[in-house]
């Protein structure tokens, strides 16, 4: 959970992946949270970075396969894998950011590999594997799909790493709260399991705002939104790529941006002020 040199270096790469070129070359980076769970404060580096996407592992939906060993980790994708590393970070930040299935994943097998570390053999080309390293590539793939979707619907513009992270968080589905996790966000699943059908080609009405004008100290950016149906849930997510912090610093944040939503009656809903997964007013 500690913000270290590795986290600092990858935070810098998200902002500018090629320092030898003029301008910034933003770079979307995703890392597996680690397999040191279920104890708290076990998310590894560089997943503890501020600007990267950290992925925890839930169970997959592989059930009732004709292998006796598959009875373990067979509780379905609404449950956490017990090995998945948990937050919080040392400075209290929520990690992981999201989850994806990380048990009984059909993984590629090298022709030089044996089955020593496999969960179960499948063929010469595949084996069942598990871990947050199996969950992470699914989130990387989801990010790539969203980038392609965004380009196709926004004049070939490329979304920033912060917008990609915000989109995956905003559309994530809360895992089953009756099993072991509290309502999202929490330090087990972060903001929930990545779920592309609610993001790409969804019936939901999304507004993607990629802020290009930097803010200085004390500045405010305001966006007005008309909610047509008060019966529908409104999800607003702010993510930003922060300047790399100093290793070991608490907090690791350099720039502290605050999200505030003001309703027509003047009530203020502040970012990350939740009770059982619901935003609380005037806290």
């Amino acid at each position: 959970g500690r913000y270290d040199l590795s986290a600092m270096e990858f935070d810098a790469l998200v902002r500018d992946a090629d320092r030898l070129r003029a301008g910034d070359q933003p770079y979307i980076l995703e890392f597996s949270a680690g397999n040191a769970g279920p104890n708290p404060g076990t998310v590894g580096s560089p997943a503890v970075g501020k600007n990267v996407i950290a992925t925890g592992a839930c169970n997959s939906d592989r059930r009732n396969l004709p292998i006796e060993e598959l009875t373990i980790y067979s509780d379905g994708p609404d449950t956490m894998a017990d090995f998945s590393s948990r937050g919080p970070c040392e400075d209290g930040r929520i990690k992981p950011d999201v989850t994806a299935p990380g048990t009984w994943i059909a993984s590629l097998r090298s022709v030089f590999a044996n089955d020593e570390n496999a969960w179960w053999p499948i063929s010469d080309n595949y084996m069942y594997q598990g871990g947050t390293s199996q969950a992470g590539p699914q989130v990387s793939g989801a990010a790539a799909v969203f980038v392609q979707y965004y380009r196709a619907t926004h004049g070939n513009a490329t979304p920033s790493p912060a917008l990609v992270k915000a989109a995956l968080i905003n559309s994530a589905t809360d895992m089953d709260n009756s099993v072991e996790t509290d309502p999202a966000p929490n330090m087990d699943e972060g903001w929930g399991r990545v779920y592309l059908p609610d993001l790409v080609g969804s019936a939901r009405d999304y507004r993607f705002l990629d802020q290009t004008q930097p803010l200085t100290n004390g500045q405010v950016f305001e966006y007005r939104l008309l909610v047509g149906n008060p019966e529908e849930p409104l999800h607003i997510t702010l993510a930003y790529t922060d300047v790399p912090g100093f290793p070991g610093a608490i907090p690791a944040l350099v720039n502290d941006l605050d999200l505030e939503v003001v309703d027509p009656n003047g009530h203020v809903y502040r970012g990350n002020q939740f009770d059982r997964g619901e935003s609380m007013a005037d806290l």
Side-chain angles (χ1 to χ4, degrees):
R2 174 162 294 183
Y3 190 84
D4 60 7
L5 180 62
S6 178
M8 180 191 77
E9 291 175 338
F10 283 105
D11 274 347
L13 283 174
V14 173
R15 292 172 62 89
D16 186 7
D18 188 352
R19 297 182 182 179
L20 299 181
R21 287 177 56 190
D24 293 332
Q25 288 74 47
Y27 186 27
I28 303 165
L29 283 173
E30 179 277 334
F31 286 102
S32 302
N35 303 322
N39 290 333
T42 51
V43 172
S45 180
V48 294
K50 300 175 290 183
N51 302 335
V52 305
I53 302 171
T55 302
C58 61
N59 290 307
S60 73
D61 59 0
R62 292 192 189 277
R63 307 184 193 183
N64 302 321
L65 293 183
I67 302 173
E68 181 180 352
E69 282 74 5
L70 285 183
T71 57
I72 64 171
Y73 299 117
S74 61
D75 294 327
D78 271 336
T79 60
M80 289 294 298
D82 59 5
F83 54 74
S84 184
S85 291
R86 316 299 168 106
C89 296
E90 188 178 45
D91 61 358
R93 288 177 293 115
I94 296 174
K95 287 286 178 174
D97 298 301
V98 291
T99 62
T103 60
W104 298 111
I105 304 300
S107 181
L108 289 173
R109 174 184 177 181
S110 167
V111 294
F112 301 105
N114 56 37
D115 295 330
E116 180 181 355
N117 296 311
W119 280 30
W120 198 267
I122 300 176
S123 68
D124 290 340
N125 298 318
Y126 294 93
M127 62 174 67
Y128 285 123
Q129 285 281 26
T132 57
S133 291
Q134 307 300 311
Q138 299 185 65
V139 175
S140 295
V145 170
F146 173 70
V147 169
Q148 182 180 4
Y149 171 75
Y150 187 90
R151 287 173 175 169
T153 55
H154 290 78
N156 207 36
T158 298
S160 70
L163 182 58
V164 174
K165 184 177 184 179
L168 293 178
I169 284 174
N170 188 278
S171 58
T173 183
D174 186 9
M175 293 164 59
D176 191 345
N177 302 327
S178 67
V179 179
E180 61 175 303
T181 60
D182 294 327
N186 56 64
M187 299 301 176
D188 299 308
E189 64 185 295
W191 300 90
R193 189 180 70 251
V194 166
Y195 190 65
L196 277 181
D198 277 350
L199 177 61
V200 174
S202 169
R204 295 181 176 184
D205 181 18
Y206 279 97
R207 305 288 177 88
F208 300 112
L209 179 63
D210 228 345
Q211 174 76 352
T212 57
Q213 183 64 39
L215 300 177
T216 59
N217 288 343
Q219 273 193 313
V220 174
F221 175 82
E222 186 176 280
Y223 185 82
R224 294 183 179 270
L225 180 68
L226 177 63
V227 179
N229 185 356
E231 300 302 320
E232 290 292 326
L234 175 65
H235 294 177
I236 300 175
T237 304
L238 166 68
Y240 59 99
T241 48
D242 195 17
V243 176
F246 188 79
I250 300 177
L253 288 178
V254 176
N255 299 297
D256 188 358
L257 274 63
D258 297 320
L259 172 65
E260 293 185 353
V261 178
V262 183
D263 72 13
N265 297 319
H267 295 294
V268 179
Y269 297 82
R270 293 178 171 86
N272 291 0
Q273 297 298 315
F274 295 99
D275 181 27
R276 305 296 299 173
E278 297 290 334
S279 293
M280 302 301 294
D282 304 322
L283 293 181

